[in-house]
Amino acid sequence: MRKFASMFALAAFMACGIAKAQSVGVESENRRDTSETEMLRQEVSMLSQQVKDAKQADLSQKIWKDRAKYFNIGFVKQSLTSKDDYIKYKSDVGVNITWGKTYYLHKKPLWGMVKFGLDWTWMDFNYVKYSSVEEKYAYEDDFSGYEFGNGSGYDDSFGSEWPEEGEEDFNLDFGCHQLEYAMQIGPSITVNPIHHLKVSTYFRFQPSASIMLLDDEVYYGFVPFFNFGAAVAWKAISIGVEGRWGSTKYHGVSVDVEDDGYYYEEEDMDVPDLVDTFTQRMRTKSFRVYLSFRF
């Protein structure tokens, strides 16, 4: 009986040991499986983040770096005002072509959407054809109560004297045109609220070389313009508006074939007598609407 009891106890002890060993093995296996699952989850998360970062970097490249240059074609509405004789010209038609680049001052957008930049436009051609109608007016501050021309503030563009019979008119009339070549530089702010949509505004200094043909007179000068504008872009296409203003003293040249009502005989003509030089203070204001291609 004792022998039987001892064998039974030994069998029970062995069974408990085996069961415990199996339990420990299962727990170890479970921990190993859990650890491998966690490692796999972390690797998947890292790969997912890398893919996300790569897509964001590619999108950022397309939004900012690949769209830094601009080429604009625009319509111009412009006025030219003389500060000396108070004649104002208004444009009938005008076009401009602009080509430049925005240099962003920091790599990553602030708040994920804003970048400050420096715009440099290395080419700005501007052409306008002015109306042949000349408008005269008085500055109230300088000529208060004074009336020009016919007393209504406007001058009769044909004058009050008619040529006598047999008198020939030697005045040349080539129309009124202005051509400018300029460069621009100044700060800009660009906001990218969503996807490829960008809204920008800028202020630029625009030194310009200007030449004008006003009937039979040619003017040339250097004009320091200031330029303020804004644009909305989606991918490579942008639409913008801008205003610019500037004034300077132009140098003028004209051919004079008449002096005090006396016409020179061919043998009496001399170059200094035929060419007049003078200066004219003028102010220019422009409004431009343009279509821009960014690349």
Side-chain angles (χ1 to χ4, degrees), residues 20-194:
K20 185 175 181 180
Q22 291 178 345
S23 177
V24 171
V26 170
E27 291 179 0
S28 177
E29 185 69 22
N30 290 338
R31 284 196 298 269
R32 186 166 58 253
D33 291 344
T34 302
S35 177
E36 291 177 354
T37 302
E38 184 64 25
M39 291 177 61
L40 182 60
R41 185 181 294 111
Q42 291 178 359
E43 290 179 359
V44 170
S45 178
M46 290 176 60
L47 290 175
S48 178
Q49 186 63 38
Q50 290 177 0
V51 172
K52 184 178 179 180
D53 292 344
K55 289 183 177 181
Q56 184 62 37
D58 183 63
L59 180 61
S60 180
Q61 171 86 7
K62 292 180 179 179
I63 292 175
W64 300 107
K65 192 171 182 179
D66 291 350
R67 301 283 185 255
K69 294 181 181 179
Y70 50 86
F71 183 82
N72 306 342
I73 301 176
F75 164 79
V76 184
K77 189 68 175 178
Q78 185 162 298
S79 66
L80 178 69
T81 305
S82 171
K83 294 182 178 181
D84 292 331
D85 55 15
Y86 306 103
I87 298 177
K88 185 174 183 180
Y89 299 89
K90 294 182 179 180
S91 65
D92 287 333
V93 63
V95 295
N96 83 287
I97 298 176
T98 305
W99 188 12
K101 183 178 180 180
T102 299
Y103 295 89
Y104 295 108
L105 303 180
H106 45 97
K107 186 175 181 180
K108 293 184 178 180
L110 301 178
W111 308 289
M113 58 188 297
V114 179
K115 274 195 174 186
F116 291 88
L118 184 66
D119 293 349
W120 178 34
T121 303
W122 50 76
M123 185 190 77
D124 187 328
F125 282 109
N126 193 86
Y127 166 78
V128 293
K129 179 182 181 299
Y130 290 108
S131 168
S132 59
V133 177
E134 298 180 359
E135 176 185 350
K136 288 190 176 182
Y137 60 95
Y139 286 109
E140 295 182 359
D141 294 341
D142 299 332
F143 297 90
S144 179
Y146 184 83
E147 294 182 347
F148 283 87
N150 57 20
S152 62
Y154 296 90
D155 186 37
D156 183 1
S157 59
F158 295 99
S160 58
E161 298 183 358
W162 293 87
E164 297 180 0
E165 185 177 356
E167 185 176 311
E168 297 182 7
D169 186 7
F170 289 93
N171 291 332
L172 301 177
D173 186 0
F174 298 105
C176 304
H177 310 266
Q178 185 173 11
L179 179 64
E180 297 164 324
Y181 173 79
M183 300 178 70
Q184 303 178 20
I185 188 168
S188 65
I189 303 175
T190 304
V191 181
N192 172 226
I194 184 172

Side-chain angles (χ1 to χ4, degrees), residues 212-228:
M212 295 184 297
L213 176 63
L214 303 182
D215 296 329
D216 61 340
E217 299 175 345
V218 177
Y219 294 84
Y220 59 93
F222 168 80
V223 188
F225 280 103
F226 292 96
N227 190 331
F228 177 77

Side-chain angles (χ1 to χ4, degrees), residues 84 220-223 247-251 279-282:
D84 292 331
Y220 59 93
F222 168 80
V223 188
S247 61
T248 193
K249 179 184 288 186
Y250 284 87
H251 297 275
T279 61
Q280 187 85 257
R281 295 179 303 157
M282 295 187 180

